[in-house]
Amino acid sequence: MIENIRKKLQHFREIEGEFPNKNLLITLESQPLLALLKAQKTIFPALYWQDKELLQTIVCFGAIDDSETIPQVKGDIRYYGGLAFQQQGEQWPDFPAIRFIRPALEFIEQDNKLTLTCHFDSHFSVTQSLTLIDQLQPPVALQNMNAELLSRHDLPTKKQWAELVDLAIEYKALLPKVVLSRQTELVCRESINHCDLLYQWQIANPASFHFSFQFSADYIFIGCSPERLFSRHNNQLHTEALAGTVNRGRNAREDAILLQSLLTDKKIDRENYLVQEFIIANLKRLKADVVCDQPRVMQLHNVQHLCVPIHAQLTPQTTDADLLYKLHPTPAVGGSPKLPALQFINDNEPYLRGWYAGAVGYISEQKSDFSVAIRSALISNNKIKLFAGAGIVTGSIAEQEWLELDNKIHTVLEIISQTEDN
């Protein structure tokens, strides 16, 4: 594969020069892209993206542009990145308020075909692209995790959580809903391989967005999120109100009873309606025509959610930046009304959310796709921070919401602590 790419690049240079202003598209034999990502230890940025419908799997290496603004793009240009949960204040290292990169090498598997796009902008050289190609290592087999947990630390603690929930309910006149969250830091004996973890997470929850963003050797942000922020195809937009959670049942009968409770529970209906109302109102502010589908239940490995699909016809003037700023963060991860909820979170949560509950995805002229970065984790060597949130409304009980947080990280805890015999 490497030699084939080198020859194509060298021939491309003969035609377009050392600094091309157009991309080179190369068709390749199929490669396991997550295994290809696992093999690379020295190339940054290194990104992975798989959409919820499993239509596209993408791996990117290197960058010809690195921007802390939301790009507007034309032609065959594509940017990958995300926005933090809140754009104000301190953020995580490597993950500022906004960060998007245009990759140097972009591998895309779609319709059982693998293509490589070598990106150029008249400033990035063929020689630089060849240098990246020469650094690529062959795919490395993915395997089960086998990590020994040394410690666990929850922030807020269970006592602090109960106090936070009580405080949020006291504010119910100003805050009908606020989403509170928890960071669970695990320390393992050995370093954590994020590709192996993501591979097992994909198996447990296949119908989700799967992503990995690594901008340096120090930090990796990964996720297996069930929640779409939006998918735009030209002027057609698809989004969803995803709010309201119950467990999976221990057997088919219990599972069906719990599923039905999602569709009939008044507290859950109120929680989901606040998200619908927010999305519809903000799309209409962009002069979009909006239609909602009937509620349905999204079933995952350990939990199930109430989901209302929403579709919109956008005006030609609407940009991806407009959509990101209007729709992010939704009440599903922040609360309602938006600004008081965000202020409450900023004032009271004892840790920085960073890109957790932020927006991650890609932007191109014809299509843009973004997930809400829930069910996510920040990895650094042998430490992993897991995140989970719960919507607090009138009637919420702190103990039950704490158990919901545990259920939302249970899949990852299972994966990390499994033995080789499993």
PDB file of all heavy atoms in Angstrom, residues 306-339:
ATOM      1  N   LEU A 306     -35.489   7.718  25.255  1.00  0.00           N
ATOM      2  CA  LEU A 306     -36.582   8.219  24.443  1.00  0.00           C
ATOM      3  C   LEU A 306     -36.003   9.159  23.386  1.00  0.00           C
ATOM      4  O   LEU A 306     -35.244  10.074  23.705  1.00  0.00           O
ATOM      5  CB  LEU A 306     -37.598   8.973  25.305  1.00  0.00           C
ATOM      6  CG  LEU A 306     -38.847   9.480  24.581  1.00  0.00           C
ATOM      7  CD1 LEU A 306     -39.665   8.320  24.026  1.00  0.00           C
ATOM      8  CD2 LEU A 306     -39.698  10.328  25.525  1.00  0.00           C
ATOM      9  N   CYS A 307     -36.378   8.917  22.128  1.00  0.00           N
ATOM     10  CA  CYS A 307     -35.818   9.669  21.005  1.00  0.00           C
ATOM     11  C   CYS A 307     -36.948  10.147  20.087  1.00  0.00           C
ATOM     12  O   CYS A 307     -37.821   9.364  19.712  1.00  0.00           O
ATOM     13  CB  CYS A 307     -34.835   8.799  20.212  1.00  0.00           C
ATOM     14  SG  CYS A 307     -34.133   9.595  18.760  1.00  0.00           S
ATOM     15  N   VAL A 308     -36.896  11.445  19.732  1.00  0.00           N
ATOM     16  CA  VAL A 308     -37.835  12.000  18.763  1.00  0.00           C
ATOM     17  C   VAL A 308     -37.027  12.538  17.577  1.00  0.00           C
ATOM     18  O   VAL A 308     -36.349  13.564  17.703  1.00  0.00           O
ATOM     19  CB  VAL A 308     -38.689  13.125  19.376  1.00  0.00           C
ATOM     20  CG1 VAL A 308     -39.590  13.758  18.314  1.00  0.00           C
ATOM     21  CG2 VAL A 308     -39.519  12.591  20.540  1.00  0.00           C
ATOM     22  N   PRO A 309     -37.042  11.853  16.419  1.00  0.00           N
ATOM     23  CA  PRO A 309     -36.327  12.354  15.239  1.00  0.00           C
ATOM     24  C   PRO A 309     -36.953  13.660  14.740  1.00  0.00           C
ATOM     25  O   PRO A 309     -38.175  13.826  14.749  1.00  0.00           O
ATOM     26  CB  PRO A 309     -36.493  11.235  14.212  1.00  0.00           C
ATOM     27  CG  PRO A 309     -36.808  10.011  15.017  1.00  0.00           C
ATOM     28  CD  PRO A 309     -37.608  10.515  16.180  1.00  0.00           C
ATOM     29  N   ILE A 310     -36.099  14.587  14.300  1.00  0.00           N
ATOM     30  CA  ILE A 310     -36.540  15.899  13.809  1.00  0.00           C
ATOM     31  C   ILE A 310     -35.860  16.169  12.469  1.00  0.00           C
ATOM     32  O   ILE A 310     -34.654  15.933  12.320  1.00  0.00           O
ATOM     33  CB  ILE A 310     -36.190  17.014  14.824  1.00  0.00           C
ATOM     34  CG1 ILE A 310     -36.879  16.746  16.169  1.00  0.00           C
ATOM     35  CG2 ILE A 310     -36.568  18.394  14.289  1.00  0.00           C
ATOM     36  CD1 ILE A 310     -36.416  17.655  17.300  1.00  0.00           C
ATOM     37  N   HIS A 311     -36.635  16.659  11.495  1.00  0.00           N
ATOM     38  CA  HIS A 311     -36.104  16.933  10.155  1.00  0.00           C
ATOM     39  C   HIS A 311     -36.393  18.387   9.798  1.00  0.00           C
ATOM     40  O   HIS A 311     -37.404  18.955  10.206  1.00  0.00           O
ATOM     41  CB  HIS A 311     -36.754  16.006   9.123  1.00  0.00           C
ATOM     42  CG  HIS A 311     -36.783  14.572   9.549  1.00  0.00           C
ATOM     43  ND1 HIS A 311     -35.682  13.761   9.508  1.00  0.00           N
ATOM     44  CD2 HIS A 311     -37.788  13.821  10.075  1.00  0.00           C
ATOM     45  CE1 HIS A 311     -35.997  12.561   9.967  1.00  0.00           C
ATOM     46  NE2 HIS A 311     -37.266  12.573  10.321  1.00  0.00           N
ATOM     47  N   ALA A 312     -35.502  18.992   9.004  1.00  0.00           N
ATOM     48  CA  ALA A 312     -35.684  20.392   8.634  1.00  0.00           C
ATOM     49  C   ALA A 312     -35.152  20.652   7.232  1.00  0.00           C
ATOM     50  O   ALA A 312     -34.169  20.034   6.801  1.00  0.00           O
ATOM     51  CB  ALA A 312     -34.975  21.300   9.636  1.00  0.00           C
ATOM     52  N   GLN A 313     -35.820  21.549   6.548  1.00  0.00           N
ATOM     53  CA  GLN A 313     -35.345  22.090   5.273  1.00  0.00           C
ATOM     54  C   GLN A 313     -34.727  23.450   5.579  1.00  0.00           C
ATOM     55  O   GLN A 313     -35.399  24.370   6.027  1.00  0.00           O
ATOM     56  CB  GLN A 313     -36.505  22.242   4.292  1.00  0.00           C
ATOM     57  CG  GLN A 313     -36.152  22.939   2.984  1.00  0.00           C
ATOM     58  CD  GLN A 313     -35.311  22.062   2.065  1.00  0.00           C
ATOM     59  OE1 GLN A 313     -35.528  20.856   1.992  1.00  0.00           O
ATOM     60  NE2 GLN A 313     -34.350  22.666   1.377  1.00  0.00           N
ATOM     61  N   LEU A 314     -33.418  23.567   5.340  1.00  0.00           N
ATOM     62  CA  LEU A 314     -32.690  24.794   5.654  1.00  0.00           C
ATOM     63  C   LEU A 314     -32.721  25.767   4.482  1.00  0.00           C
ATOM     64  O   LEU A 314     -32.883  25.363   3.327  1.00  0.00           O
ATOM     65  CB  LEU A 314     -31.231  24.469   5.998  1.00  0.00           C
ATOM     66  CG  LEU A 314     -30.986  23.461   7.127  1.00  0.00           C
ATOM     67  CD1 LEU A 314     -29.509  23.112   7.199  1.00  0.00           C
ATOM     68  CD2 LEU A 314     -31.475  24.004   8.462  1.00  0.00           C
ATOM     69  N   THR A 315     -32.520  27.022   4.784  1.00  0.00           N
ATOM     70  CA  THR A 315     -32.349  28.008   3.715  1.00  0.00           C
ATOM     71  C   THR A 315     -30.932  27.889   3.166  1.00  0.00           C
ATOM     72  O   THR A 315     -30.017  27.440   3.881  1.00  0.00           O
ATOM     73  CB  THR A 315     -32.572  29.440   4.238  1.00  0.00           C
ATOM     74  OG1 THR A 315     -31.492  29.775   5.130  1.00  0.00           O
ATOM     75  CG2 THR A 315     -33.901  29.562   4.956  1.00  0.00           C
ATOM     76  N   PRO A 316     -30.684  28.307   1.931  1.00  0.00           N
ATOM     77  CA  PRO A 316     -29.330  28.245   1.363  1.00  0.00           C
ATOM     78  C   PRO A 316     -28.321  29.102   2.134  1.00  0.00           C
ATOM     79  O   PRO A 316     -27.114  28.849   2.062  1.00  0.00           O
ATOM     80  CB  PRO A 316     -29.516  28.786  -0.065  1.00  0.00           C
ATOM     81  CG  PRO A 316     -30.962  28.569  -0.374  1.00  0.00           C
ATOM     82  CD  PRO A 316     -31.679  28.739   0.932  1.00  0.00           C
ATOM     83  N   GLN A 317     -28.791  30.071   2.890  1.00  0.00           N
ATOM     84  CA  GLN A 317     -27.886  30.968   3.611  1.00  0.00           C
ATOM     85  C   GLN A 317     -27.384  30.372   4.929  1.00  0.00           C
ATOM     86  O   GLN A 317     -26.427  30.880   5.522  1.00  0.00           O
ATOM     87  CB  GLN A 317     -28.600  32.298   3.910  1.00  0.00           C
ATOM     88  CG  GLN A 317     -28.919  33.148   2.692  1.00  0.00           C
ATOM     89  CD  GLN A 317     -30.102  32.614   1.893  1.00  0.00           C
ATOM     90  OE1 GLN A 317     -31.049  32.063   2.477  1.00  0.00           O
ATOM     91  NE2 GLN A 317     -30.045  32.741   0.570  1.00  0.00           N
ATOM     92  N   THR A 318     -28.014  29.309   5.409  1.00  0.00           N
ATOM     93  CA  THR A 318     -27.650  28.733   6.708  1.00  0.00           C
ATOM     94  C   THR A 318     -26.295  28.039   6.635  1.00  0.00           C
ATOM     95  O   THR A 318     -26.059  27.198   5.765  1.00  0.00           O
ATOM     96  CB  THR A 318     -28.720  27.723   7.172  1.00  0.00           C
ATOM     97  OG1 THR A 318     -29.988  28.370   7.221  1.00  0.00           O
ATOM     98  CG2 THR A 318     -28.388  27.194   8.554  1.00  0.00           C
ATOM     99  N   THR A 319     -25.395  28.380   7.551  1.00  0.00           N
ATOM    100  CA  THR A 319     -24.057  27.781   7.587  1.00  0.00           C
ATOM    101  C   THR A 319     -23.974  26.752   8.717  1.00  0.00           C
ATOM    102  O   THR A 319     -24.817  26.724   9.624  1.00  0.00           O
ATOM    103  CB  THR A 319     -22.984  28.852   7.808  1.00  0.00           C
ATOM    104  OG1 THR A 319     -23.151  29.406   9.139  1.00  0.00           O
ATOM    105  CG2 THR A 319     -23.081  29.965   6.765  1.00  0.00           C
ATOM    106  N   ASP A 320     -22.925  25.940   8.668  1.00  0.00           N
ATOM    107  CA  ASP A 320     -22.702  24.983   9.760  1.00  0.00           C
ATOM    108  C   ASP A 320     -22.412  25.712  11.063  1.00  0.00           C
ATOM    109  O   ASP A 320     -22.793  25.243  12.143  1.00  0.00           O
ATOM    110  CB  ASP A 320     -21.564  24.037   9.406  1.00  0.00           C
ATOM    111  CG  ASP A 320     -21.957  23.057   8.320  1.00  0.00           C
ATOM    112  OD1 ASP A 320     -22.964  22.353   8.491  1.00  0.00           O
ATOM    113  OD2 ASP A 320     -21.271  23.002   7.287  1.00  0.00           O
ATOM    114  N   ALA A 321     -21.748  26.863  10.986  1.00  0.00           N
ATOM    115  CA  ALA A 321     -21.514  27.658  12.196  1.00  0.00           C
ATOM    116  C   ALA A 321     -22.835  28.109  12.799  1.00  0.00           C
ATOM    117  O   ALA A 321     -23.019  28.065  14.032  1.00  0.00           O
ATOM    118  CB  ALA A 321     -20.625  28.861  11.874  1.00  0.00           C
ATOM    119  N   ASP A 322     -23.785  28.531  11.962  1.00  0.00           N
ATOM    120  CA  ASP A 322     -25.124  28.896  12.459  1.00  0.00           C
ATOM    121  C   ASP A 322     -25.743  27.736  13.228  1.00  0.00           C
ATOM    122  O   ASP A 322     -26.292  27.904  14.326  1.00  0.00           O
ATOM    123  CB  ASP A 322     -26.055  29.269  11.295  1.00  0.00           C
ATOM    124  CG  ASP A 322     -25.663  30.547  10.580  1.00  0.00           C
ATOM    125  OD1 ASP A 322     -25.033  31.418  11.218  1.00  0.00           O
ATOM    126  OD2 ASP A 322     -25.968  30.664   9.378  1.00  0.00           O
ATOM    127  N   LEU A 323     -25.682  26.546  12.639  1.00  0.00           N
ATOM    128  CA  LEU A 323     -26.295  25.366  13.258  1.00  0.00           C
ATOM    129  C   LEU A 323     -25.607  25.010  14.569  1.00  0.00           C
ATOM    130  O   LEU A 323     -26.274  24.708  15.570  1.00  0.00           O
ATOM    131  CB  LEU A 323     -26.230  24.183  12.286  1.00  0.00           C
ATOM    132  CG  LEU A 323     -27.068  24.321  11.017  1.00  0.00           C
ATOM    133  CD1 LEU A 323     -26.703  23.240  10.013  1.00  0.00           C
ATOM    134  CD2 LEU A 323     -28.560  24.269  11.341  1.00  0.00           C
ATOM    135  N   LEU A 324     -24.289  25.044  14.578  1.00  0.00           N
ATOM    136  CA  LEU A 324     -23.556  24.691  15.793  1.00  0.00           C
ATOM    137  C   LEU A 324     -23.857  25.669  16.923  1.00  0.00           C
ATOM    138  O   LEU A 324     -24.103  25.262  18.065  1.00  0.00           O
ATOM    139  CB  LEU A 324     -22.058  24.636  15.510  1.00  0.00           C
ATOM    140  CG  LEU A 324     -21.590  23.416  14.701  1.00  0.00           C
ATOM    141  CD1 LEU A 324     -20.180  23.609  14.175  1.00  0.00           C
ATOM    142  CD2 LEU A 324     -21.672  22.147  15.547  1.00  0.00           C
ATOM    143  N   TYR A 325     -23.860  26.940  16.618  1.00  0.00           N
ATOM    144  CA  TYR A 325     -24.109  27.921  17.668  1.00  0.00           C
ATOM    145  C   TYR A 325     -25.557  27.917  18.141  1.00  0.00           C
ATOM    146  O   TYR A 325     -25.831  28.178  19.313  1.00  0.00           O
ATOM    147  CB  TYR A 325     -23.711  29.318  17.187  1.00  0.00           C
ATOM    148  CG  TYR A 325     -22.218  29.545  17.151  1.00  0.00           C
ATOM    149  CD1 TYR A 325     -21.604  30.091  16.030  1.00  0.00           C
ATOM    150  CD2 TYR A 325     -21.417  29.216  18.249  1.00  0.00           C
ATOM    151  CE1 TYR A 325     -20.227  30.301  15.997  1.00  0.00           C
ATOM    152  CE2 TYR A 325     -20.049  29.413  18.221  1.00  0.00           C
ATOM    153  CZ  TYR A 325     -19.454  29.957  17.092  1.00  0.00           C
ATOM    154  OH  TYR A 325     -18.094  30.154  17.076  1.00  0.00           O
ATOM    155  N   LYS A 326     -26.504  27.611  17.246  1.00  0.00           N
ATOM    156  CA  LYS A 326     -27.907  27.597  17.636  1.00  0.00           C
ATOM    157  C   LYS A 326     -28.297  26.323  18.393  1.00  0.00           C
ATOM    158  O   LYS A 326     -29.089  26.351  19.338  1.00  0.00           O
ATOM    159  CB  LYS A 326     -28.804  27.729  16.393  1.00  0.00           C
ATOM    160  CG  LYS A 326     -28.838  29.119  15.783  1.00  0.00           C
ATOM    161  CD  LYS A 326     -29.544  30.124  16.686  1.00  0.00           C
ATOM    162  CE  LYS A 326     -29.690  31.475  16.004  1.00  0.00           C
ATOM    163  NZ  LYS A 326     -30.212  32.498  16.936  1.00  0.00           N
ATOM    164  N   LEU A 327     -27.754  25.177  17.965  1.00  0.00           N
ATOM    165  CA  LEU A 327     -28.203  23.890  18.508  1.00  0.00           C
ATOM    166  C   LEU A 327     -27.355  23.372  19.666  1.00  0.00           C
ATOM    167  O   LEU A 327     -27.790  22.505  20.418  1.00  0.00           O
ATOM    168  CB  LEU A 327     -28.242  22.836  17.397  1.00  0.00           C
ATOM    169  CG  LEU A 327     -29.214  23.105  16.251  1.00  0.00           C
ATOM    170  CD1 LEU A 327     -29.137  21.990  15.222  1.00  0.00           C
ATOM    171  CD2 LEU A 327     -30.642  23.265  16.766  1.00  0.00           C
ATOM    172  N   HIS A 328     -26.144  23.880  19.794  1.00  0.00           N
ATOM    173  CA  HIS A 328     -25.224  23.350  20.813  1.00  0.00           C
ATOM    174  C   HIS A 328     -25.015  24.371  21.921  1.00  0.00           C
ATOM    175  O   HIS A 328     -24.790  25.543  21.628  1.00  0.00           O
ATOM    176  CB  HIS A 328     -23.881  23.014  20.153  1.00  0.00           C
ATOM    177  CG  HIS A 328     -22.781  22.792  21.156  1.00  0.00           C
ATOM    178  ND1 HIS A 328     -22.752  21.683  21.970  1.00  0.00           N
ATOM    179  CD2 HIS A 328     -21.695  23.538  21.493  1.00  0.00           C
ATOM    180  CE1 HIS A 328     -21.677  21.757  22.757  1.00  0.00           C
ATOM    181  NE2 HIS A 328     -21.030  22.867  22.477  1.00  0.00           N
ATOM    182  N   PRO A 329     -25.048  23.951  23.198  1.00  0.00           N
ATOM    183  CA  PRO A 329     -25.504  22.645  23.671  1.00  0.00           C
ATOM    184  C   PRO A 329     -27.021  22.606  23.817  1.00  0.00           C
ATOM    185  O   PRO A 329     -27.632  23.594  24.181  1.00  0.00           O
ATOM    186  CB  PRO A 329     -24.817  22.508  25.031  1.00  0.00           C
ATOM    187  CG  PRO A 329     -24.648  23.917  25.506  1.00  0.00           C
ATOM    188  CD  PRO A 329     -24.484  24.776  24.283  1.00  0.00           C
ATOM    189  N   THR A 330     -27.613  21.461  23.526  1.00  0.00           N
ATOM    190  CA  THR A 330     -29.059  21.299  23.651  1.00  0.00           C
ATOM    191  C   THR A 330     -29.427  21.085  25.130  1.00  0.00           C
ATOM    192  O   THR A 330     -28.566  20.769  25.955  1.00  0.00           O
ATOM    193  CB  THR A 330     -29.572  20.092  22.842  1.00  0.00           C
ATOM    194  OG1 THR A 330     -29.209  18.894  23.536  1.00  0.00           O
ATOM    195  CG2 THR A 330     -29.017  20.087  21.433  1.00  0.00           C
ATOM    196  N   PRO A 331     -30.709  21.214  25.468  1.00  0.00           N
ATOM    197  CA  PRO A 331     -31.140  20.919  26.842  1.00  0.00           C
ATOM    198  C   PRO A 331     -30.892  19.468  27.248  1.00  0.00           C
ATOM    199  O   PRO A 331     -30.962  19.143  28.431  1.00  0.00           O
ATOM    200  CB  PRO A 331     -32.638  21.233  26.812  1.00  0.00           C
ATOM    201  CG  PRO A 331     -32.806  22.212  25.709  1.00  0.00           C
ATOM    202  CD  PRO A 331     -31.809  21.795  24.666  1.00  0.00           C
ATOM    203  N   ALA A 332     -30.602  18.588  26.292  1.00  0.00           N
ATOM    204  CA  ALA A 332     -30.295  17.194  26.628  1.00  0.00           C
ATOM    205  C   ALA A 332     -28.991  17.075  27.406  1.00  0.00           C
ATOM    206  O   ALA A 332     -28.791  16.114  28.150  1.00  0.00           O
ATOM    207  CB  ALA A 332     -30.225  16.343  25.358  1.00  0.00           C
ATOM    208  N   VAL A 333     -28.094  18.050  27.242  1.00  0.00           N
ATOM    209  CA  VAL A 333     -26.814  18.006  27.966  1.00  0.00           C
ATOM    210  C   VAL A 333     -26.586  19.242  28.828  1.00  0.00           C
ATOM    211  O   VAL A 333     -25.681  19.252  29.668  1.00  0.00           O
ATOM    212  CB  VAL A 333     -25.618  17.827  27.002  1.00  0.00           C
ATOM    213  CG1 VAL A 333     -25.646  16.451  26.367  1.00  0.00           C
ATOM    214  CG2 VAL A 333     -25.582  18.923  25.941  1.00  0.00           C
ATOM    215  N   GLY A 334     -27.384  20.298  28.616  1.00  0.00           N
ATOM    216  CA  GLY A 334     -27.225  21.520  29.393  1.00  0.00           C
ATOM    217  C   GLY A 334     -28.419  21.773  30.298  1.00  0.00           C
ATOM    218  O   GLY A 334     -28.320  21.701  31.517  1.00  0.00           O
ATOM    219  N   GLY A 335     -29.543  22.038  29.689  1.00  0.00           N
ATOM    220  CA  GLY A 335     -30.747  22.295  30.461  1.00  0.00           C
ATOM    221  C   GLY A 335     -31.596  23.344  29.781  1.00  0.00           C
ATOM    222  O   GLY A 335     -31.295  23.782  28.666  1.00  0.00           O
ATOM    223  N   SER A 336     -32.657  23.752  30.468  1.00  0.00           N
ATOM    224  CA  SER A 336     -33.579  24.719  29.894  1.00  0.00           C
ATOM    225  C   SER A 336     -34.160  25.593  31.009  1.00  0.00           C
ATOM    226  O   SER A 336     -34.559  25.070  32.055  1.00  0.00           O
ATOM    227  CB  SER A 336     -34.712  23.983  29.169  1.00  0.00           C
ATOM    228  OG  SER A 336     -35.628  24.884  28.616  1.00  0.00           O
ATOM    229  N   PRO A 337     -34.158  26.931  30.799  1.00  0.00           N
ATOM    230  CA  PRO A 337     -33.612  27.672  29.657  1.00  0.00           C
ATOM    231  C   PRO A 337     -32.086  27.539  29.567  1.00  0.00           C
ATOM    232  O   PRO A 337     -31.427  27.325  30.577  1.00  0.00           O
ATOM    233  CB  PRO A 337     -34.027  29.115  29.935  1.00  0.00           C
ATOM    234  CG  PRO A 337     -35.111  29.038  30.970  1.00  0.00           C
ATOM    235  CD  PRO A 337     -34.823  27.815  31.775  1.00  0.00           C
ATOM    236  N   LYS A 338     -31.576  27.713  28.355  1.00  0.00           N
ATOM    237  CA  LYS A 338     -30.184  27.393  28.079  1.00  0.00           C
ATOM    238  C   LYS A 338     -29.196  28.184  28.937  1.00  0.00           C
ATOM    239  O   LYS A 338     -28.351  27.597  29.626  1.00  0.00           O
ATOM    240  CB  LYS A 338     -29.904  27.623  26.589  1.00  0.00           C
ATOM    241  CG  LYS A 338     -28.465  27.361  26.159  1.00  0.00           C
ATOM    242  CD  LYS A 338     -28.319  27.574  24.664  1.00  0.00           C
ATOM    243  CE  LYS A 338     -26.883  27.374  24.206  1.00  0.00           C
ATOM    244  NZ  LYS A 338     -26.744  27.517  22.737  1.00  0.00           N
ATOM    245  N   LEU A 339     -29.275  29.497  28.904  1.00  0.00           N
ATOM    246  CA  LEU A 339     -28.255  30.312  29.569  1.00  0.00           C
ATOM    247  C   LEU A 339     -28.260  30.164  31.087  1.00  0.00           C
ATOM    248  O   LEU A 339     -27.194  29.984  31.696  1.00  0.00           O
ATOM    249  CB  LEU A 339     -28.387  31.774  29.146  1.00  0.00           C
ATOM    250  CG  LEU A 339     -28.079  32.052  27.671  1.00  0.00           C
ATOM    251  CD1 LEU A 339     -28.228  33.540  27.363  1.00  0.00           C
ATOM    252  CD2 LEU A 339     -26.670  31.584  27.307  1.00  0.00           C
TER     253      LEU A 339
END
